[in-house]
Amino acid sequence: MTTGQGTNHMTGMTDQSLFEQNVAKLIVETLKLKVDPSTIQPEAALFGEGLGLDSIDALELSLAISQTYGYQLKSSDPDIKAIFSSLRALTRAIEKNRAQ
């Protein structure tokens, strides 16, 4: 099923919003990943088989998000797994909770 979002298989580009592009860049730069931020699919998993992040990456990324957007991600948050499930979910949580 195609939703109109995802990877353009001809170019490798994804349908990222501008803010998703910014967060993808933050992920890549913070974690020193060897991927182009524009190739991170918005709905793809950030952990495990997706981008391959682990719990240490989550801690580093949480600190960078706090410093950049003023949004404190806490491991005790019952929604933390859902928040970190994909670039799109993470971006939505930041947009909803960031300091103005």
Side-chain angles (χ1 to χ4, degrees):
M1 179 172 84
T2 302
T3 62
Q5 296 180 345
T7 301
N8 176 333
H9 295 289
M10 299 300 287
T11 65
M13 301 294 287
T14 60
D15 295 328
Q16 296 175 345
S17 70
L18 181 58
F19 193 55
E20 286 171 344
Q21 290 170 24
N22 292 336
V23 174
K25 185 176 177 186
L26 179 69
I27 292 170
V28 169
E29 290 176 354
T30 298
L31 303 177
K32 298 172 180 54
L33 301 178
K34 294 180 177 156
V35 299
D36 183 329
S38 68
T39 64
I40 299 174
Q41 297 180 33
E43 298 291 343
L46 293 178
F47 293 85
E49 72 223 27
L51 201 52
L53 304 185
D54 61 25
S55 59
I56 300 299
D57 295 327
L59 290 172
E60 289 182 49
L61 191 53
S62 294
L63 180 60
I65 289 167
S66 175
Q67 291 172 339
T68 304
Y69 300 109
Y71 173 35
Q72 299 277 332
L73 288 155
K74 300 190 184 310
S75 60
S76 60
D77 185 328
D79 296 324
I80 198 69
K81 284 187 178 183
I83 291 168
F84 275 110
S85 65
S86 69
L87 173 61
R88 183 152 291 149
L90 180 59
T91 303
R92 286 180 180 155
I94 294 169
E95 285 179 319
K96 180 179 175 186
N97 296 288
R98 70 180 173 175
Q100 297 301 324

